[in-house]
Amino acid sequence: MKFKILSLLLALTLNGCGIFNESSESPPTLNRTDYALGTYITVKTPDIPVTAASALDKAFARLFGIEMIASAKNPESELFYVNENAYGRDIIVSDELYSLLHTGRFYAQLTDGAFDIALGSIVELWGIGTENARVPEAYEITEALGNSGFEQLVLSEGERTVRFLREGLRIDLGAIAKGYAANEMKRVLVESGVTDAILDLGGDIVVIGSDRRIGIADPRNSAEICAIVTISDKAVMTSGDYERFFDENGVHYHHIFDGTTGFSADSGIISATVIFECAMISDVLSTAFFVMGVERAVEFAATMPEIGYILIDNEMNFYYSENIEIEIIN
Ligand code: AMP
Ligand code: MG
């Protein structure tokens, strides 16, 4: 057992999930890692040596294309321009940004704002994960809350325009763009003939192929894992309070916000994983479930029986759906 955990440690990535490799000798693979969307992204494939290299190039080109559209932090991105200019006037955007905003707003409505793409002013104010991270003054949080919420975002389908109703509104696609990029990278790889690959997006995993064992990070010791799921052709996306955070005066401040309070979500859940074919929906719902808390998340998930989930609360209780193959490690 001890050996198992050790080899797991090696296979674990920084956050979220990891690839569980039982044998110490893994087959030769083609790997590529690059930094995009605020995290390290790796694709590993033991597949088709002749075409896999160009397939990887195409997949990463797609990823960088999405970064230039959807990153709220990159001053060169299309979203950055929209955030600076969309108050009080209609900005025509690309099809791709429009569809991300449209989908994002749809899920914000569906989750009653637990997931909300229009919390950018709160995300920026706290600066969690940057060197400017700090606990803001109460008045600053009140102000940022006033400049938040998907209701302040006007989208017009015919002209493909975006407009903000508040000057301080900022869109942040941090809880959906990675999942969307994962879907797109997977599509490019599959279209290039790849039938076996693992995409690791800062610990969120997408599998092309069958029966892969994926470790779920222990939220209270994220160098280790607390569960293993076995999946085929699916995404495993985790939102956890250990991914980006700082502690001050005994309080744990992390990067997933509750749009009703302007503070880090404090629902009792410390790790929420969603397992589903579509990485984008997994990404959205893992964030939403984290904010909702166990009771609301379980109730919501009952309306979407195809999705799998694993919720872990602050007493390390596990709540998971019956449609997944899971092994909990004590
Ligand atoms: P994830 O790690 O997928 O849960 O995404 C977290 C990231 O999404 C944060 O770093 C923020 O950029 C953004 N975010 C934080 N809270 C929310 C929320 N409630 N809804 C949507 N996006 C959020
Ligand atoms: Mg997410």
Side-chain angles (χ1 to χ4, degrees):
M1 191 62 195
K2 219 168 192 159
F3 168 73
K4 252 193 192 174
I5 301 279
L6 263 180
S7 68
L8 275 175
L9 274 180
L10 296 174
L12 255 183
T13 47
L14 278 175
N15 301 310
C17 327
I19 301 140
F20 180 81
N21 221 337
E22 245 164 340
S23 71
S24 51
E25 278 184 33
S26 8
T29 55
L30 196 61
N31 288 357
R32 178 162 166 189
T33 300
D34 252 307
Y35 191 83
L37 298 172
T39 194
Y40 285 98
I41 297 186
T42 298
V43 178
K44 273 190 196 175
T45 176
D47 218 11
I48 358 176
V50 186
T51 55
S54 82
L56 285 188
D57 286 345
K58 282 188 221 157
F60 276 91
R62 190 73 197 90
L63 168 67
F64 294 128
I66 293 167
E67 155 106 18
M68 290 314 293
I69 285 171
S71 164
K73 297 207 179 86
N74 189 326
E76 317 261 285
S77 78
E78 187 180 7
L79 179 60
F80 196 93
Y81 180 84
V82 168
N83 272 336
E84 295 293 306
N85 293 285
Y87 170 59
R89 62 188 167 123
D90 291 321
I91 305 286
I92 298 173
V93 296
S94 63
D95 285 342
E96 193 157 34
L97 183 57
Y98 190 86
S99 98
L100 268 170
L101 294 171
H102 197 264
T103 308
R105 195 180 57 173
F106 171 81
Y107 281 102
Q109 281 160 343
L110 194 71
T111 62
D112 252 335
F115 165 88
D116 190 343
I117 57 169
L119 300 184
S121 57
I122 292 169
V123 173
E124 272 177 34
L125 177 65
W126 286 83
I128 294 184
T130 75
E131 53 197 26
N132 305 318
R134 67 183 176 97
V135 181
E137 302 292 333
Y139 78 88
E140 295 177 295
I141 293 175
T142 307
E143 193 184 328
L145 274 176
N147 288 324
S148 294
F150 61 91
E151 304 88 350
Q152 315 288 346
L153 174 67
V154 181
L155 299 176
S156 160
E157 187 122 35
E159 299 88 48
R160 239 177 44 221
T161 58
V162 181
R163 182 158 46 91
F164 295 170
L165 298 180
R166 299 290 296 241
E167 193 166 4
L169 193 78
R170 291 292 177 271
I171 301 296
D172 182 314
L173 298 173
I176 181 172
K178 211 161 40 145
Y180 173 71
N183 279 348
E184 283 297 291
M185 292 179 83
K186 176 178 172 174
R187 184 179 60 75
V188 169
L189 291 167
V190 170
E191 281 176 10
S192 306
V194 172
T195 57
D196 185 355
I198 298 266
L199 287 68
D200 178 340
L201 302 97
D204 289 327
I205 303 289
V206 172
V207 167
I208 302 174
S210 303
D211 296 325
R212 302 302 283 258
R213 284 155 68 72
I214 306 298
I216 306 297
D218 179 342
R220 284 296 166 259
N221 180 5
S222 60
E224 296 197 16
I225 64 164
C226 61
I228 299 170
V229 289
T230 304
I231 57 163
S232 305
D233 287 310
K234 282 200 166 89
V236 182
M237 312 291 277
T238 299
S239 293
D241 75 346
Y242 55 90
E243 293 178 324
R244 292 178 188 192
F245 65 91
F246 68 91
D247 292 302
E248 196 171 296
N249 298 325
V251 184
H252 188 70
Y253 299 100
H254 60 79
H255 72 308
I256 302 170
F257 292 97
D258 183 334
T260 62
T261 64
F263 280 79
S264 301
D266 186 20
S267 70
I269 291 182
I270 58 174
S271 166
T273 298
V274 171
I275 301 164
F276 189 51
E277 280 85 1
C278 173
M280 183 181 70
I281 292 178
S282 305
D283 195 5
V284 165
L285 292 182
S286 62
T287 307
F289 288 178
F290 187 101
V291 175
M292 286 178 181
V294 172
E295 204 176 319
R296 237 179 105 196
V298 169
E299 208 174 289
F300 183 96
T303 66
M304 294 174 93
E306 343 53 81
I307 67 152
Y309 63 82
I310 306 161
L311 311 173
I312 306 173
D313 74 13
N314 49 19
E315 291 172 351
M316 286 301 289
N317 296 308
F318 285 68
Y319 307 84
Y320 54 87
S321 53
E322 283 171 7
N323 57 0
I324 58 169
E325 204 177 315
I326 183 172
E327 200 180 305
I328 292 173
I329 297 166
N330 297 302

